[in-house]
Amino acid sequence: MPMPDELSEAEFRSLYRRLRGTASGGGRRRGALDTITAEQVLAAVREVRSGRTVSLAAPVETRTGPDDADPAEHRLTAPADGEPVAKGLDFARDRFAMNVHGDVDSHLDALCHVIYDGTLHGGIPAADALSPEGASVLSVELARDGIVGRGVLLDIPRVHGLSWLEPGSNVTAEDLSAAETRQGLRVGRGDILLVRVGHRRRREELGPWDVAAARAGLHPTAMEFVADREVAVLGSDGNNDTAPSVVQGVAFPVHVLAVHALGLHLLDYLRFEDLAPICAQEGRWSFLCVIAPLRLPAATGSPVNPLAIL
């Protein structure tokens, strides 16, 4: 794949202003989620034909790795270690803790997650909205009723005849358009757009690596495609952002453009290795998608297990 151009900070800011302008009208209370109407949910339900369900999340990791210095913690709290199990009724209990925004586990980024120039999405001063107790606005609570709509999977390695994109590769708007053409569909307003770069398959076959230094993702200019189609949610089996960044001085430009400028909830580090073969076999790449984040009223994100229902 050819290497797209790098962007200067000035070029990035110009792109940012242009995309922010496309989302500024209408005063959306829930960001781009408000593009999903009841009629679109009903249309998405009609995507279901076989009733087959597929998880789009990866198993939660609890062991340290080169891409996971702070893994999730899971332990049994009862029965106590070495303690005999009582006769009659008893309960096994456990505790779970997670760094939600890590580089391995599947999660959703809320609109309060990205701070750019001291503000959150919509120009809200971050200092007024964020405290040690959490976010007073734009938290994951905006998605408390779940996100339900038409999911569309664009398989970019498939377009190029590859199993995965190598770390550092950038997905362009042209790649997204080519995937649409090859897969025989068009991404539209209110869709849940899922972009496969093959991150999970590479990790499963070759082992984990330092993804902070190198990973495949979207080129910032590909967000013009996303904005033009007015999608509701953007997700990937990687971080959505490429590493190293192609923007001088901005490590996560796609996060800035998606969350901060466009008001898109982001899904990071999903897993499409079960879904993609089914889509290819059935010759259809759209489906009912159901996302149910935890109700964490002041949280900047949530672990999540999105479901594709075919």
Side-chain angles (χ1 to χ4, degrees), residues 103-182:
D103 286 325
V104 173
D105 297 317
S106 305
H107 63 271
L108 179 140
D109 292 341
L111 298 188
C112 61
H113 175 51
V114 176
I115 305 168
Y116 187 58
D117 286 342
T119 67
L120 305 180
H121 171 65
I124 297 171
D128 296 342
L130 304 177
S131 72
E133 286 70 43
S136 60
V137 295
L138 301 180
S139 76
V140 75
E141 179 73 0
L142 289 181
R144 64 181 176 270
D145 295 321
I147 303 170
V148 180
R150 186 178 85 139
V152 175
L153 177 63
L154 295 184
D155 191 340
I156 307 305
R158 188 170 184 266
V159 171
H160 297 281
L162 303 169
S163 297
W164 58 71
L165 303 185
E166 287 297 335
S169 300
N170 285 269
V171 175
T172 65
E174 291 74 21
D175 289 323
L176 298 176
S177 295
E180 277 187 319
T181 300
R182 175 161 183 166

Coordinates of all heavy atoms in Angstrom, one line a residue, residues 103-182:
D103 N -4.7 -0.8 25.2 CA -4.5 -1.1 23.8 C -4.8 -2.6 23.4 O -4.3 -3.1 22.4 CB -3.0 -0.9 23.5 CG -2.7 0.6 23.3 OD1 -3.5 1.4 22.8 OD2 -1.6 1.0 23.8
V104 N -5.6 -3.2 24.2 CA -5.9 -4.6 23.9 C -7.4 -4.9 24.0 O -8.0 -5.4 23.1 CB -5.2 -5.6 24.9 CG1 -5.7 -7.0 24.7 CG2 -3.7 -5.5 24.6
D105 N -8.1 -4.5 25.1 CA -9.4 -4.8 25.4 C -10.4 -4.0 24.6 O -10.2 -2.7 24.4 CB -9.7 -4.7 26.8 CG -8.9 -5.7 27.7 OD1 -8.8 -6.9 27.2 OD2 -8.4 -5.3 28.7
S106 N -11.5 -4.6 24.1 CA -12.5 -3.9 23.3 C -13.3 -2.9 24.2 O -13.7 -3.2 25.3 CB -13.5 -4.9 22.8 OG -12.9 -5.9 22.0
H107 N -13.4 -1.6 23.7 CA -14.0 -0.6 24.5 C -14.6 0.5 23.7 O -14.3 0.6 22.5 CB -13.0 0.0 25.6 CG -11.9 0.7 24.9 ND1 -10.7 0.1 24.6 CD2 -11.7 2.0 24.6 CE1 -9.9 1.0 24.1 NE2 -10.5 2.2 24.0
L108 N -15.5 1.3 24.3 CA -16.1 2.4 23.7 C -15.6 3.7 24.3 O -15.5 3.8 25.5 CB -17.6 2.3 23.8 CG -18.5 3.5 23.2 CD1 -19.7 2.9 22.5 CD2 -18.9 4.5 24.3
D109 N -15.2 4.7 23.5 CA -14.8 6.0 23.9 C -16.0 6.9 24.0 O -16.7 7.1 23.0 CB -13.8 6.6 23.0 CG -12.4 5.9 23.0 OD1 -12.2 5.1 24.0 OD2 -11.6 6.0 22.1
A110 N -16.2 7.5 25.1 CA -17.3 8.5 25.3 C -16.9 9.9 24.7 O -15.7 10.1 24.4 CB -17.7 8.7 26.7
L111 N -17.8 10.8 24.6 CA -17.5 12.1 24.0 C -16.7 13.0 24.9 O -16.1 14.0 24.4 CB -18.8 12.8 23.6 CG -19.6 12.1 22.5 CD1 -20.8 13.0 22.1 CD2 -18.8 11.7 21.3
C112 N -16.5 12.6 26.2 CA -15.7 13.4 27.1 C -14.3 12.8 27.1 O -13.4 13.4 27.9 CB -16.3 13.3 28.5 SG -16.4 11.6 29.2
H113 N -14.0 11.8 26.3 CA -12.6 11.2 26.4 C -11.5 12.0 25.8 O -10.4 12.0 26.3 CB -12.7 9.8 25.7 CG -11.4 9.1 25.6 ND1 -10.6 8.9 26.6 CD2 -10.8 8.5 24.5 CE1 -9.5 8.2 26.3 NE2 -9.6 8.0 25.0
V114 N -11.8 12.8 24.7 CA -10.8 13.5 24.0 C -10.8 15.0 24.4 O -11.8 15.7 24.2 CB -11.0 13.4 22.5 CG1 -9.9 14.2 21.7 CG2 -10.8 11.9 22.1
I115 N -9.7 15.5 24.9 CA -9.5 16.9 25.2 C -8.5 17.5 24.1 O -7.5 17.0 23.9 CB -8.8 17.1 26.6 CG1 -9.6 16.4 27.7 CG2 -8.7 18.6 26.9 CD1 -8.9 16.3 29.0
Y116 N -9.0 18.6 23.5 CA -8.2 19.2 22.4 C -8.2 20.7 22.7 O -9.3 21.3 22.7 CB -8.7 18.8 21.1 CG -7.8 19.3 19.9 CD1 -6.5 18.9 19.8 CD2 -8.4 20.1 18.9 CE1 -5.7 19.4 18.8 CE2 -7.6 20.5 17.8 CZ -6.3 20.2 17.8 OH -5.5 20.6 16.7
D117 N -7.1 21.3 22.8 CA -7.0 22.8 23.1 C -7.8 23.1 24.3 O -8.5 24.2 24.3 CB -7.5 23.6 21.8 CG -6.5 23.6 20.7 OD1 -5.3 23.3 21.0 OD2 -6.9 23.9 19.6
G118 N -7.8 22.3 25.3 CA -8.5 22.5 26.6 C -10.0 22.4 26.6 O -10.6 22.7 27.6
T119 N -10.5 21.8 25.5 CA -12.0 21.7 25.4 C -12.4 20.3 25.1 O -11.6 19.5 24.5 CB -12.6 22.6 24.4 OG1 -12.2 22.2 23.1 CG2 -12.2 24.1 24.6
L120 N -13.7 20.0 25.3 CA -14.3 18.7 24.9 C -15.1 19.0 23.7 O -15.2 20.1 23.2 CB -15.2 18.2 26.0 CG -14.5 17.9 27.4 CD1 -15.6 17.4 28.4 CD2 -13.3 17.0 27.3
H121 N -15.8 18.0 23.1 CA -16.7 18.1 22.0 C -17.7 19.2 22.3 O -18.2 19.3 23.4 CB -17.4 16.8 21.7 CG -18.5 16.9 20.7 ND1 -18.3 17.2 19.4 CD2 -19.8 16.8 20.8 CE1 -19.4 17.3 18.7 NE2 -20.4 17.0 19.6
G122 N -17.9 20.1 21.3 CA -18.8 21.2 21.4 C -18.3 22.4 22.1 O -19.0 23.4 22.4
G123 N -16.9 22.4 22.3 CA -16.3 23.5 22.9 C -16.4 23.7 24.4 O -16.1 24.7 25.0
I124 N -16.9 22.6 25.1 CA -17.1 22.7 26.5 C -15.7 22.7 27.2 O -14.9 21.8 26.9 CB -17.9 21.5 27.0 CG1 -19.3 21.5 26.4 CG2 -17.9 21.4 28.6 CD1 -20.1 20.2 26.7
P125 N -15.4 23.7 28.1 CA -14.1 23.7 28.8 C -13.9 22.4 29.6 O -14.7 22.1 30.4 CB -14.2 24.9 29.7 CG -15.2 25.8 29.0 CD -16.2 24.8 28.4
A126 N -12.8 21.7 29.3 CA -12.5 20.5 30.0 C -12.4 20.7 31.5 O -12.8 19.9 32.3 CB -11.2 19.8 29.5
A127 N -11.8 21.8 32.0 CA -11.6 22.1 33.4 C -13.0 22.2 34.1 O -13.0 21.9 35.3 CB -10.8 23.4 33.5
D128 N -14.0 22.6 33.4 CA -15.3 22.7 34.0 C -16.1 21.4 34.1 O -17.0 21.2 34.9 CB -16.2 23.7 33.3 CG -15.7 25.1 33.3 OD1 -14.8 25.4 34.2 OD2 -16.1 25.9 32.5
A129 N -15.7 20.5 33.2 CA -16.5 19.2 33.0 C -15.8 18.0 33.7 O -16.5 17.0 34.0 CB -16.7 18.9 31.6
L130 N -14.5 18.0 33.9 CA -13.8 16.9 34.4 C -13.3 17.1 35.8 O -12.7 18.2 36.1 CB -12.7 16.5 33.5 CG -13.0 16.3 32.0 CD1 -11.8 16.0 31.2 CD2 -14.0 15.1 31.9
S131 N -13.4 16.1 36.7 CA -12.9 16.1 38.0 C -12.5 14.7 38.4 O -12.8 13.8 37.7 CB -14.0 16.7 39.0 OG -15.0 15.7 39.2
P132 N -11.9 14.5 39.6 CA -11.6 13.2 40.0 C -12.8 12.3 40.2 O -12.7 11.1 40.1 CB -10.9 13.4 41.4 CG -10.3 14.8 41.3 CD -11.3 15.6 40.5
E133 N -14.0 12.9 40.3 CA -15.2 12.1 40.4 C -15.7 11.6 39.0 O -16.6 10.8 38.9 CB -16.3 12.9 41.1 CG -16.1 13.0 42.6 CD -14.9 13.9 42.9 OE1 -14.8 15.0 42.3 OE2 -14.1 13.5 43.8
G134 N -15.1 12.2 37.9 CA -15.6 11.8 36.6 C -16.0 13.0 35.8 O -15.6 14.1 36.1
A135 N -16.7 12.7 34.7 CA -17.2 13.7 33.8 C -18.6 14.1 34.1 O -19.5 13.3 34.2 CB -17.1 13.2 32.4
S136 N -18.9 15.4 34.2 CA -20.2 15.9 34.5 C -21.1 16.0 33.2 O -22.3 16.1 33.3 CB -20.1 17.3 35.1 OG -19.5 18.2 34.3
V137 N -20.4 16.0 32.0 CA -21.2 16.0 30.8 C -20.5 15.1 29.8 O -19.3 14.7 30.0 CB -21.2 17.5 30.2 CG1 -22.0 18.4 31.1 CG2 -19.8 18.0 30.0
L138 N -21.2 14.7 28.7 CA -20.7 13.9 27.6 C -20.1 12.6 28.0 O -19.2 12.0 27.3 CB -19.6 14.7 26.9 CG -20.0 16.1 26.3 CD1 -18.9 16.8 25.6 CD2 -21.2 15.9 25.3
S139 N -20.5 12.1 29.2 CA -20.0 10.8 29.6 C -20.6 9.6 28.8 O -21.5 9.8 28.0 CB -20.2 10.6 31.1 OG -21.6 10.3 31.4
V140 N -20.2 8.4 29.1 CA -20.8 7.2 28.5 C -22.3 7.1 28.8 O -23.0 6.3 28.1 CB -20.0 6.0 28.9 CG1 -20.3 5.5 30.3 CG2 -20.2 4.9 27.8
E141 N -22.8 7.8 29.8 CA -24.2 7.8 30.1 C -25.0 8.3 28.9 O -26.2 7.9 28.8 CB -24.4 8.7 31.3 CG -25.9 8.8 31.8 CD -26.4 7.5 32.4 OE1 -25.6 6.5 32.5 OE2 -27.6 7.5 32.8
L142 N -24.5 9.0 28.0 CA -25.2 9.4 26.8 C -25.7 8.2 26.0 O -26.7 8.3 25.3 CB -24.4 10.3 25.9 CG -24.0 11.7 26.3 CD1 -23.2 12.4 25.3 CD2 -25.3 12.5 26.6
A143 N -25.0 7.1 26.1 CA -25.4 5.8 25.4 C -26.1 4.8 26.3 O -26.1 3.6 26.1 CB -24.1 5.2 24.8
R144 N -26.7 5.3 27.4 CA -27.3 4.4 28.4 C -28.4 3.6 27.8 O -28.7 2.5 28.3 CB -27.8 5.3 29.6 CG -29.0 6.2 29.2 CD -29.5 7.0 30.4 NE -30.5 8.0 30.1 CZ -30.3 9.2 29.7 NH1 -29.0 9.6 29.6 NH2 -31.3 10.0 29.4
D145 N -29.1 4.0 26.8 CA -30.2 3.2 26.2 C -29.6 2.3 25.1 O -30.4 1.6 24.4 CB -31.2 4.1 25.6 CG -31.9 4.9 26.7 OD1 -32.2 4.4 27.8 OD2 -32.2 6.1 26.5
G146 N -28.3 2.2 25.0 CA -27.7 1.3 24.0 C -27.6 2.0 22.6 O -28.2 3.1 22.4
I147 N -26.9 1.4 21.8 CA -26.7 1.9 20.4 C -27.1 0.8 19.5 O -26.5 -0.3 19.5 CB -25.2 2.3 20.1 CG1 -24.8 3.4 21.1 CG2 -25.1 2.8 18.7 CD1 -23.3 3.6 21.1
V148 N -28.2 1.0 18.7 CA -28.8 0.0 17.9 C -28.9 0.6 16.5 O -29.5 1.7 16.3 CB -30.1 -0.5 18.4 CG1 -30.7 -1.6 17.4 CG2 -30.0 -1.0 19.8
G149 N -28.4 -0.1 15.5 CA -28.5 0.4 14.1 C -28.0 -0.5 13.1 O -27.6 -1.7 13.4
R150 N -27.8 0.0 11.9 CA -27.2 -0.9 10.8 C -25.7 -0.8 11.0 O -25.1 0.2 10.9 CB -27.6 -0.4 9.4 CG -27.1 -1.4 8.3 CD -27.6 -0.9 6.9 NE -26.7 0.1 6.4 CZ -26.3 0.1 5.1 NH1 -26.7 -0.9 4.2 NH2 -25.5 1.0 4.6
G151 N -25.1 -2.0 11.2 CA -23.7 -2.1 11.2 C -23.2 -2.4 9.8 O -23.8 -3.2 9.0
V152 N -22.1 -1.8 9.4 CA -21.4 -2.0 8.1 C -20.0 -2.3 8.3 O -19.3 -1.5 8.9 CB -21.6 -0.8 7.1 CG1 -20.8 -1.1 5.8 CG2 -23.1 -0.5 6.9
L153 N -19.5 -3.5 7.8 CA -18.1 -3.9 8.0 C -17.4 -3.6 6.6 O -17.8 -4.2 5.6 CB -18.0 -5.3 8.4 CG -16.6 -5.9 8.5 CD1 -15.8 -5.2 9.6 CD2 -16.6 -7.4 8.8
L154 N -16.4 -2.8 6.6 CA -15.5 -2.6 5.5 C -14.2 -3.3 5.7 O -13.5 -2.9 6.7 CB -15.3 -1.1 5.2 CG -16.5 -0.3 4.8 CD1 -16.2 1.1 4.4 CD2 -17.3 -1.0 3.6
D155 N -13.9 -4.3 4.9 CA -12.7 -5.2 5.2 C -11.6 -4.7 4.2 O -11.5 -5.1 3.1 CB -13.1 -6.6 4.8 CG -12.0 -7.6 5.3 OD1 -10.8 -7.2 5.5 OD2 -12.3 -8.8 5.5
I156 N -10.7 -3.8 4.8 CA -9.7 -3.2 4.0 C -8.6 -4.2 3.5 O -8.2 -4.1 2.3 CB -9.1 -2.0 4.7 CG1 -10.2 -1.0 5.2 CG2 -8.1 -1.3 3.8 CD1 -11.1 -0.6 4.1
P157 N -8.1 -5.1 4.3 CA -7.1 -6.0 3.8 C -7.6 -6.9 2.7 O -6.9 -7.2 1.7 CB -6.8 -6.9 5.1 CG -7.1 -6.0 6.2 CD -8.2 -5.2 5.8
R158 N -8.9 -7.2 2.7 CA -9.5 -8.0 1.6 C -9.4 -7.3 0.3 O -9.2 -7.9 -0.7 CB -11.0 -8.3 2.0 CG -11.7 -9.3 1.1 CD -13.0 -9.7 1.7 NE -13.7 -10.7 0.9 CZ -14.6 -10.4 0.0 NH1 -14.9 -9.1 -0.3 NH2 -15.2 -11.3 -0.7
V159 N -9.6 -5.9 0.3 CA -9.5 -5.1 -0.9 C -8.1 -5.3 -1.5 O -8.0 -5.3 -2.8 CB -9.8 -3.6 -0.6 CG1 -9.4 -2.8 -1.8 CG2 -11.2 -3.4 -0.2
H160 N -7.1 -5.4 -0.7 CA -5.7 -5.5 -1.2 C -5.2 -6.9 -1.3 O -4.0 -7.1 -1.5 CB -4.8 -4.7 -0.3 CG -5.1 -3.2 -0.3 ND1 -4.7 -2.4 -1.3 CD2 -5.8 -2.5 0.6 CE1 -5.2 -1.1 -1.0 NE2 -5.8 -1.2 0.2
G161 N -6.1 -7.9 -1.0 CA -5.6 -9.3 -1.1 C -4.7 -9.7 0.0 O -3.8 -10.6 -0.2
L162 N -4.9 -9.1 1.2 CA -4.0 -9.4 2.4 C -4.8 -10.0 3.5 O -6.1 -9.9 3.6 CB -3.4 -8.1 2.8 CG -2.6 -7.3 1.8 CD1 -2.2 -5.9 2.3 CD2 -1.3 -8.1 1.4
S163 N -4.1 -10.6 4.4 CA -4.7 -11.1 5.7 C -4.9 -10.0 6.7 O -5.8 -9.9 7.5 CB -3.9 -12.2 6.3 OG -3.9 -13.3 5.4
W164 N -3.9 -9.0 6.7 CA -4.0 -7.9 7.5 C -3.1 -6.8 6.9 O -2.3 -7.0 6.0 CB -3.5 -8.2 8.9 CG -2.1 -8.8 9.0 CD1 -0.9 -8.1 8.7 CD2 -1.7 -10.2 9.2 NE1 0.2 -9.0 8.8 CE2 -0.3 -10.2 9.1 CE3 -2.4 -11.3 9.5 CZ2 0.4 -11.4 9.3 CZ3 -1.7 -12.5 9.7 CH2 -0.3 -12.6 9.6
L165 N -3.3 -5.5 7.4 CA -2.4 -4.4 7.1 C -1.3 -4.4 8.1 O -1.5 -4.6 9.3 CB -3.2 -3.1 7.2 CG -4.4 -3.0 6.3 CD1 -5.0 -1.5 6.4 CD2 -4.2 -3.3 4.9
E166 N -0.1 -4.2 7.6 CA 1.1 -4.2 8.5 C 1.0 -2.9 9.4 O 0.5 -1.9 9.0 CB 2.4 -4.2 7.7 CG 2.7 -5.5 7.0 CD 2.9 -6.6 8.1 OE1 3.3 -6.3 9.2 OE2 2.8 -7.8 7.7
P167 N 1.6 -3.0 10.6 CA 1.6 -1.9 11.5 C 2.2 -0.7 10.8 O 3.2 -0.8 10.1 CB 2.5 -2.3 12.6 CG 2.3 -3.8 12.7 CD 2.1 -4.2 11.2
G168 N 1.6 0.5 11.0 CA 2.1 1.7 10.3 C 1.3 2.1 9.1 O 1.4 3.2 8.5
S169 N 0.5 1.1 8.6 CA -0.3 1.3 7.3 C -1.4 2.3 7.6 O -2.0 2.2 8.7 CB -0.8 0.0 6.8 OG 0.2 -0.9 6.5
N170 N -1.8 3.1 6.6 CA -2.9 4.0 6.8 C -4.0 3.7 5.8 O -3.8 3.5 4.6 CB -2.4 5.4 6.4 CG -1.6 6.1 7.5 OD1 -2.1 6.7 8.4 ND2 -0.2 5.8 7.5
V171 N -5.2 3.6 6.3 CA -6.4 3.4 5.5 C -6.9 4.8 5.0 O -7.1 5.7 5.8 CB -7.5 2.8 6.3 CG1 -8.8 2.7 5.5 CG2 -7.1 1.4 6.8
T172 N -7.0 4.9 3.7 CA -7.4 6.2 3.1 C -8.9 6.2 2.8 O -9.6 5.2 2.8 CB -6.6 6.5 1.9 OG1 -7.0 5.5 0.9 CG2 -5.1 6.4 2.1
A173 N -9.4 7.4 2.4 CA -10.8 7.5 2.0 C -11.0 6.6 0.7 O -12.1 6.0 0.5 CB -11.2 8.9 1.7
E174 N -10.0 6.6 -0.1 CA -10.0 5.8 -1.4 C -10.2 4.3 -1.0 O -10.9 3.5 -1.7 CB -8.8 6.0 -2.2 CG -8.7 7.4 -2.9 CD -8.4 8.5 -1.9 OE1 -7.8 8.2 -0.8 OE2 -8.7 9.7 -2.2
D175 N -9.5 3.8 0.1 CA -9.6 2.5 0.5 C -11.0 2.2 1.0 O -11.6 1.1 0.6 CB -8.7 2.2 1.7 CG -7.2 2.1 1.3 OD1 -6.9 1.6 0.2 OD2 -6.4 2.6 2.0
L176 N -11.6 3.1 1.7 CA -13.0 2.9 2.2 C -14.0 2.8 1.0 O -14.9 2.0 0.9 CB -13.4 4.0 3.1 CG -12.5 4.1 4.4 CD1 -13.0 5.4 5.2 CD2 -12.7 2.9 5.3
S177 N -13.8 3.7 0.0 CA -14.6 3.7 -1.2 C -14.5 2.4 -2.0 O -15.4 1.8 -2.5 CB -14.4 4.9 -2.1 OG -14.7 6.1 -1.4
A178 N -13.2 1.9 -2.1 CA -12.9 0.7 -2.8 C -13.6 -0.5 -2.1 O -14.1 -1.4 -2.8 CB -11.4 0.5 -2.9
A179 N -13.6 -0.5 -0.8 CA -14.2 -1.6 -0.1 C -15.7 -1.6 -0.3 O -16.3 -2.7 -0.5 CB -13.9 -1.5 1.4
E180 N -16.3 -0.4 -0.3 CA -17.7 -0.3 -0.6 C -18.0 -0.9 -2.0 O -19.0 -1.8 -2.1 CB -18.1 1.2 -0.7 CG -18.5 1.8 0.6 CD -19.0 3.2 0.3 OE1 -18.5 3.9 -0.6 OE2 -20.0 3.6 1.0
T181 N -17.3 -0.6 -2.9 CA -17.5 -1.1 -4.3 C -17.4 -2.6 -4.4 O -18.2 -3.3 -4.9 CB -16.5 -0.4 -5.3 OG1 -16.7 1.0 -5.3 CG2 -16.7 -0.9 -6.7
R182 N -16.3 -3.1 -3.8 CA -16.1 -4.5 -3.8 C -17.1 -5.3 -3.1 O -17.5 -6.4 -3.5 CB -14.7 -4.8 -3.3 CG -14.4 -6.3 -3.2 CD -12.9 -6.6 -3.1 NE -12.7 -8.1 -3.1 CZ -11.5 -8.6 -3.2 NH1 -10.5 -7.9 -3.5 NH2 -11.4 -10.0 -3.2

